[in-house]
């Protein structure tokens, strides 16, 4: 893709100046680390006065707009970090305008909307990237390396338990608690893990069953409207225990504990469990193959991945232990790798680790698991995408085939 007319680098916009917009700061970090990569934030768009003020403070030299449609002609690419229910509409508008899109996960909150985004990208040829940053987390890369080396044989089962200790603050005090805006936390929160399960299992969900309930936070009656606030305004480890939380969103109708069973299209069996009222906050994966199993203890720097590949009774030590590198808290390292991959794909046409097809697979698993759990836990099969859309994303993008924005 060519850059702007003055050849000063990719012109990037940030659409949505909320909590997650901080990922756009990695544009400067990525370009500073690679002299061949030139990109800069030149515009921000936000429908709220507060968001536009944050944009002016963060990027004082940037164009500040109210609507993403005002960006046409001013930018080559946009980083979309708006609330989940707006993702599909904004992405489709930008793709049709020829603006390359970095779309924060989840791709959409329904399978139908996810398919509409992918079909539009295929029709227009405009680059689309979905920010499943956890694919680049050190613990995930380590587990994939162990599997690729054949240390546990052929993968047959994947399990994940997600202890969302910060769930009350992260997801139940604003729009995340409202199913009309997120569908369920199997989209907003679990899309990371569902995507990783697919990556570790080597296939995508073909059939899914879900179970879950609103077990705790529905009983908390202290509610208030937090419009204009961000999560950092109320987050505290002192907000404990869960039933003593205050200031929950006026609408709380998403499940705070849920379970998913999946059959992948290659026959691998998988399960996922998510709980938003645990005291600790981390993910625990178990991958079982024909010659052993692996399991992570901790999911950031300082954690380990252990491998068992000899028979015995219970044993916490395992046969091998590999340290997890990376940051000791959060996912700033994965965010940087994700943003760098997006920028290089737009600037140079390089293929990406995560295809939008994989992002759609995560949405399908989460959205259909939600449909299942709210309808008696009936099994649901994942519908196929159009063949032309699959073909578009199956062939690597190269500079010769990339859409040109000038």
């Amino acid at each position: 893709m060519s850059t702007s007319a003055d050849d000063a680098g990719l012109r990037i916009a940030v659409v949505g100046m909320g909590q997650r917009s901080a990922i756009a700061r990695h544009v400067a970090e990525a370009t500073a680390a690679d002299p061949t990569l030139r990109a800069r934030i030149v515009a921000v768009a936000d429908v709220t006065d507060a968001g536009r003020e944050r944009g002016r403070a963060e990027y004082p030299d940037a164009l500040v707009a109210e609507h993403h449609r005002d960006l046409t002609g001013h930018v080559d690419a946009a980083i979309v970090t708006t609330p989940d229910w707006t993702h599909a509409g904004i992405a489709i508008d930008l793709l049709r305008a020829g603006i390359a899109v970095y779309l924060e996960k989840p791709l959409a909150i329904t399978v139908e909307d996810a398919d509409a985004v992918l079909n539009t990208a295929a029709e227009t040829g405009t680059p689309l990237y979905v920010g499943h940053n956890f694919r680049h987390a050190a613990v995930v890369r380590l587990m994939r390396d162990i599997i690729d080396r054949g240390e546990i044989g052929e993968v047959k089962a994947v399990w994940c338990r997600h202890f969302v200790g910060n769930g009350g603050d992260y997801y139940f005090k604003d729009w995340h608690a409202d199913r009309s805006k997120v569908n369920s936390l199997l989209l907003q929160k679990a899309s990371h893990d569902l995507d990783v399960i697919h990556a570790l299992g080597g296939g995508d969900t073909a059939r899914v069953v879900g179970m879950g309930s609103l077990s705790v936070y529905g009983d908390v009656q202290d509610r208030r409207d937090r419009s204009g606030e961000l999560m950092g305004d109320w987050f505290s480890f002192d907000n404990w225990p869960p039933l003593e939380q205050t200031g929950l969103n006026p609408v709380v109708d998403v499940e705070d504990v849920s379970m998913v069973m999946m059959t992948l299209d290659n026959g691998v069996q998988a399960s996922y469990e998510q709980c938003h009222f645990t005291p600790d906050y981390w993910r625990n994966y178990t991958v079982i193959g024909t010659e052993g199993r692996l399991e992570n203890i901790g999911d950031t720097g300082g954690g380990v991945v252990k491998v068992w590949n000899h028979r015995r009774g219970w044993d916490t030590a395992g046969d091998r232990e590999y340290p997890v590198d990376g940051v000791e808290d959060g996912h700033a390292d994965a965010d940087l790798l994700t943003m760098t991959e997006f920028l290089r794909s737009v600037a140079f046409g390089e293929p990406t680790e995560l295809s939008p097809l994989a992002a759609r697979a995560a949405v399908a698993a989460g959205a259909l698991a939600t449909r299942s759990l709210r309808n008696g836990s009936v099994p649901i099969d994942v519908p196929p995408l159009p063949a032309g859309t699959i073909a578009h994303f199956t062939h690597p993008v190269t500079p010769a085939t990339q859409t040109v924005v000038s």
Side-chain angles (χ1 to χ4, degrees), residues 72-311:
T72 303
H74 297 285
V75 301
D76 304 305
I79 300 166
V80 179
T81 56
T82 56
D84 296 2
W85 77 92
T86 69
H87 283 187
I90 291 173
I92 288 170
D93 285 345
L94 293 171
L95 292 167
R96 293 202 180 282
I99 297 171
V101 174
Y102 176 111
L103 185 59
E104 179 63 4
K105 66 84 191 169
L107 168 62
I109 64 172
T110 67
V111 178
E112 294 78 11
D113 280 352
D115 290 358
V117 175
L118 265 62
N119 291 338
T120 300
E123 291 165 9
T124 62
T126 308
L128 169 67
Y129 183 91
V130 185
H132 273 273
N133 60 328
F134 204 57
R135 276 274 184 130
H136 287 299
V139 66
V140 175
R141 288 185 280 117
L142 176 56
M143 289 189 293
R144 293 185 72 179
D145 286 346
I146 293 169
I147 292 168
D148 291 344
R149 289 196 297 266
E151 293 192 30
I152 62 171
E154 182 182 357
V155 172
K156 293 295 185 180
V158 184
W159 306 335
C160 176
R161 299 180 300 165
H162 196 168
F163 311 106
V164 192
N166 294 345
D169 280 326
Y170 282 0
Y171 301 107
F172 287 87
K173 294 188 177 180
D174 63 5
W175 55 267
H176 294 89
D178 184 342
R179 67 172 63 178
S180 71
K181 295 179 169 59
V182 297
N183 192 348
S184 85
L185 295 175
L186 291 175
L187 275 295
Q188 217 300 320
K189 185 59 175 169
S191 59
H192 277 315
D193 297 300
L194 296 172
D195 174 56
V196 170
I197 285 171
H198 293 158
L200 299 178
D204 296 331
T205 295
R207 173 170 283 196
V208 64
V209 173
M211 291 177 283
S213 65
L214 178 58
S215 296
V216 171
Y217 293 114
D219 294 334
V220 177
Q221 298 304 308
D222 192 288
R223 311 283 181 90
R224 68 183 176 92
D225 183 358
R226 293 182 179 272
S227 299
E229 296 181 60
L230 297 178
M231 184 272 297
D233 296 326
W234 63 74
F235 179 85
S236 172
F237 283 115
D238 293 331
N239 294 335
W240 184 262
L243 285 171
E244 294 183 16
Q245 283 271 14
T246 60
L248 268 59
N249 193 59
V251 176
V252 176
D253 61 0
V254 294
E255 294 79 12
D256 53 18
V257 60
S258 52
M259 292 161 279
V260 182
M261 294 183 293
M262 295 157 276
T263 296
L264 307 193
D265 53 16
N266 58 0
V268 168
Q269 301 295 307
S271 66
Y272 172 75
E273 292 81 38
Q274 177 189 92
C275 182
H276 286 266
F277 45 87
T278 65
D280 49 341
Y281 188 19
W282 64 294
R283 298 168 167 92
N284 172 244
Y285 292 96
T286 293
V287 184
I288 305 172
T290 55
E291 299 177 17
R293 77 174 181 93
L294 66 77
E295 181 176 355
N296 68 295
I297 308 299
D299 57 5
T300 52
V304 297
V305 175
K306 298 186 177 187
V307 174
W308 290 258
N309 53 18
H310 291 87
R311 291 186 65 180

